[in-house]
DNA sequence: GTGAAAGCGCTAACAA
DNA sequence: TTGTTAGCGCTTTCAC
């Protein structure tokens, strides 16, 4: 069996309380000589404290329970966890992870289990911004991460999707675009982010004196195929209505836009500027050209949640939700619109090269919207 | 404070031992009436057991420590964790996660912390198949997940990369390809997977009576840009040497091959067949056409490791490493080579359409290798 | 069948 | 300055 406190005490020839005091650095009144002696003895017998016994006594386990709906399916999980883990570790806490797969029953069980393990704090994380029912028995003070508790009453941190949508749109506006499309999510379960980003998009447009054109707000499945088909619909618009820049609900859609654009003979960003959302490394950084996108602040949210849970960070009003800024990641998928550009360095402003033999629908006559179609 | 065992005992009018017996289902000799009474009392006072106290007594915490080098940077983390978590949970265990970011010092600390928290089992996970130094103080019996301990002596589970490389190549062979390239990793820190997959590739070729052509083994950075440049080099080969099928070290490289191929006017799989590795959802499933690839069995490895750690699964020889099969995921990026195909339905067999106006290097004269170049 | 009592390893009053 | 002592909440042998 492992050495325990009394073994150290015996070896050092002192009492267990002295050992405890010394080893916990509460030994202000104990002479250096004794301290040394104790330390040496501890090392000698290979003492390793039993956190269980300590916690039973102190009523603090130095653990935080992290309950999450699903961690496997989404590549975000990592950053969320790593933010949380980081804060926890640097504050001497361990994180106990429970993945519920969204199963309500497992969830309630897990809350109970975590509680019975006496975690000092609890975090409830979702893998995307949504409204979640509060699991039965959830201890007060539990922090909601990337989701909002139905009915409120708990601190929560979520991405500021509205500001993100606005920022994405503003990138396009700043480059001179006026006809900006938004390829929105077509899903039932992303209502929060979708609505907020849309609101940000509209607000940015309005602020720039542009009336949002309903034809430029299209919906798509949140994947590459959705992006491809949405771009098809945008391309099918009458020339004057076509967008010169597109803000996509997420990077997956953007990647679909890329491939459909390439097939249609459009070059990004020369013929079309694209902004995504999420900053998924595997997509955004790897596309050619690399995608300008809005990053979801998963790491920062994970940190915030843990800090609040651990009581390191004060929150203003109780139960208020904290909106975390989504920073824009500037890469190379946005450029000035063709029409407003000064004679380009690498060719005529009008009529980008069509291609022959493109496998899918080529759009030889494609031109940016505000340029009246060639006769 | 929360209700404890003695509260239940008081409420039920029995002793704590009786309550303990009943609540732990060890109450064989206790009449149903008493059991009912105890259960009712427990519910009434809202009893919730204190796992700490129990564990202190029983010397079992029902927790497993999961130590990993990094969980944030890679999208694999999720499946690894979820496999582990799943097995743990269904065996009534909690997983305590520590992310060390590859920092040796944190690692040693974490081992100690986990040990002091008396975890029943420990797993050491890497985020990709590699050889890792064994952290000081690691308890015997610790299971290595997706990595191999230097010097052995611990059970370990890793992907069977050689068989995976072989399987990938065989998919291409089965479709009739004879000139198959392997775009290998160019990195120093992926020696195991890289070498094994190469060996599998070679073995498959040899078995099919094909002598591996060194010119078809190229190296690339393990990302899209690497894939693009590697395809460029392959395209630059003399026509008769060009491959008709490519096996890529990973999906990121494959996605680069896709985009470079499209730019070069090559259609997948008509002009070129591609097989990836990793089965990264964000890439493989989203490419157009969807990528045939070899899946890394992260979930299965996570399960295996946890089962072994928990003693649910017997292992044969101690310290032996278990190779987990990497299943091929058939999608649509592989077809027969152009040369062996019967006259195609949608055009002539020879000379795939070149494109005008392609932004990067177009290869109008491209043809599959075994077809002698057009004059 | 049920209860009393000991003790898991530690901390923290309080005494000395 | 150090030691004694009493638990933290639970399980488990052993008496009754």
């Amino acid at each position: 069996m492992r050495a325990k406190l009394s073994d150290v005490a015996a070896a050092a020839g002192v009492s267990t309380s002295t050992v405890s005091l010394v080893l916990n650095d509460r030994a202000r009144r104990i002479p250096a000589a004794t301290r040394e002696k104790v330390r040496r003895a501890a090392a000698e017998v290979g003492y390793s404290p039993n956190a269980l016994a300590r916690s039973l006594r102190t009523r603090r386990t130095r653990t935080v329970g992290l309950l999450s709906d699903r961690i496997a399916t989404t590549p975000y999980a990592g950053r969320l966890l790593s933010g949380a883990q980081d804060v926890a570790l640097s504050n001497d806490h361990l994180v106990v992870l429970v993945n519920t797969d969204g199963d309500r029953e497992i969830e309630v069980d897990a809350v109970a289990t975590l509680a019975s393990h006496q975690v000092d704090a609890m975090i409830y994380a979702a893998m995307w911004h949504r409204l979640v029912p509060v699991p039965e028995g959830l201890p007060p003070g539990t922090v909601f991460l990337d989701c909002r508790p139905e009915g409120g009453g708990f601190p929560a941190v979520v991405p500021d999707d509205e500001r993100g949508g606005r920022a994405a749109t503003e990138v396009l506006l700043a480059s001179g675009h006026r006809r900006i499309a938004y390829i929105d999510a077509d899903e039932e379960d992303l209502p929060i982010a979708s609505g907020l980003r849309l609101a940000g998009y509209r607000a940015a447009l309005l602020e720039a004196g542009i009336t949002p054109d309903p034809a430029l707000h299209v919906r798509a499945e949140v994947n590459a195929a959705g992006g491809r088909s949405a771009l098809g619909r945008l391309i099918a618009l009458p020339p004057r209505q076509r967008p010169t820049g597109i803000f996509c609900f997420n990077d997956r859609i953007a990647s679909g836009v890329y491939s459909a654009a390439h097939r249609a003979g459009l070059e990004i960003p020369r013929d079309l500027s694209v902004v995504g959302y999420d900053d998924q490394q595997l997509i955004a950084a790897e596309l050619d050209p690399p995608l300008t996108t809005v990053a979801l602040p998963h790491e920062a949210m994970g940190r915030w949640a843990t800090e609040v849970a651990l009581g390191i960070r004060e929150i203003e009003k109780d139960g208020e939700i904290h909106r975390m800024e989504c920073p824009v990641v500037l890469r190379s998928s946005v450029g000035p619109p063709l029409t407003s550009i000064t004679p380009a360095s690498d060719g005529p402003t009008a009529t980008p090269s069509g291609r022959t033999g493109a496998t899918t629908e080529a759009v030889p006559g494609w031109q940016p919207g505000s340029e009246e179609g060639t006769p």
Side-chain angles (χ1 to χ4, degrees), chain A residues 159-170 196-201 203-204 247 277 294 323-328:
Chain A
D160 192 340
D161 282 303
E162 174 163 359
R163 219 165 123 205
R166 174 192 287 264
T169 311
E170 282 169 353
L196 291 174
R197 291 175 199 173
L198 175 59
Y201 158 78
F247 165 37
Y277 212 112
V294 180
R323 288 179 186 75
M324 188 74 75
E325 188 189 347
C326 300
V328 171

Side-chain angles (χ1 to χ4, degrees), chain A residues 251 254-256 258-259 262 274 281-291:
Chain A
D251 292 350
S255 88
Y258 264 59
S259 65
H262 286 145
V274 181
Q281 296 304 309
L282 248 28
I283 301 178
E286 300 256 320
L287 283 173
D288 183 27
L291 179 67

Side-chain angles (χ1 to χ4, degrees), chain A residues 255-332:
Chain A
S255 88
V257 166
Y258 264 59
S259 65
H262 286 145
R263 300 224 166 189
L266 299 171
E267 192 188 329
I268 295 168
R270 194 190 56 182
D271 305 318
L272 183 67
S273 289
V274 181
V275 176
Y277 212 112
D278 289 358
D279 193 26
Q280 302 236 31
Q281 296 304 309
L282 248 28
I283 301 178
E286 300 256 320
L287 283 173
D288 183 27
L291 179 67
T292 287
T293 187
V294 180
L296 247 12
H298 285 289
E299 173 111 21
M301 293 193 302
R303 303 188 69 89
W304 190 95
T306 311
E307 285 168 358
V308 170
L310 254 31
I312 295 162
R313 173 189 290 268
E314 296 287 330
I315 48 171
E316 318 76 45
K317 251 180 284 172
D318 194 51
E320 207 188 2
I321 80 158
H322 182 77
R323 288 179 186 75
M324 188 74 75
E325 188 189 347
C326 300
V328 171
V329 180
L330 256 19
R331 284 195 269 249
S332 327

Side-chain angles (χ1 to χ4, degrees), chain A residues 188-229:
Chain A
E188 292 307 307
D189 43 16
L190 293 168
I192 298 188
S194 159
L196 291 174
R197 291 175 199 173
L198 175 59
Y201 158 78
R202 286 216 178 107
L205 251 29
L206 253 14
E207 218 162 71
I210 301 173
T211 308
D213 179 350
L216 294 184
H217 176 217
V218 300
R219 290 190 175 268
E221 258 189 285
V222 289
N223 56 30
R228 290 195 291 269
S229 104

Side-chain angles (χ1 to χ4, degrees), chain A residues 66 68-85 97 99 125-128 145-146 280 298-299 302:
Chain A
L66 178 37
S68 96
D69 55 349
R70 69 198 62 238
I71 115 188
T73 351
T74 144
Y76 304 141
R79 319 218 127 256
L80 230 34
L81 286 183
S82 106
Q85 151 78 39
L97 181 69
N99 182 226
M127 284 310 155
W128 65 85
L145 172 50
D146 205 7
Q280 302 236 31
H298 285 289
E299 173 111 21

Side-chain angles (χ1 to χ4, degrees), chain A residues 129-132 144 147-150 156 158 192 196 321 323:
Chain A
H129 185 177
R130 56 203 186 82
L131 206 61
V132 295
F144 282 70
C147 55
R148 299 140 81 142
E150 271 173 13
V158 296
I192 298 188
L196 291 174
I321 80 158
R323 288 179 186 75

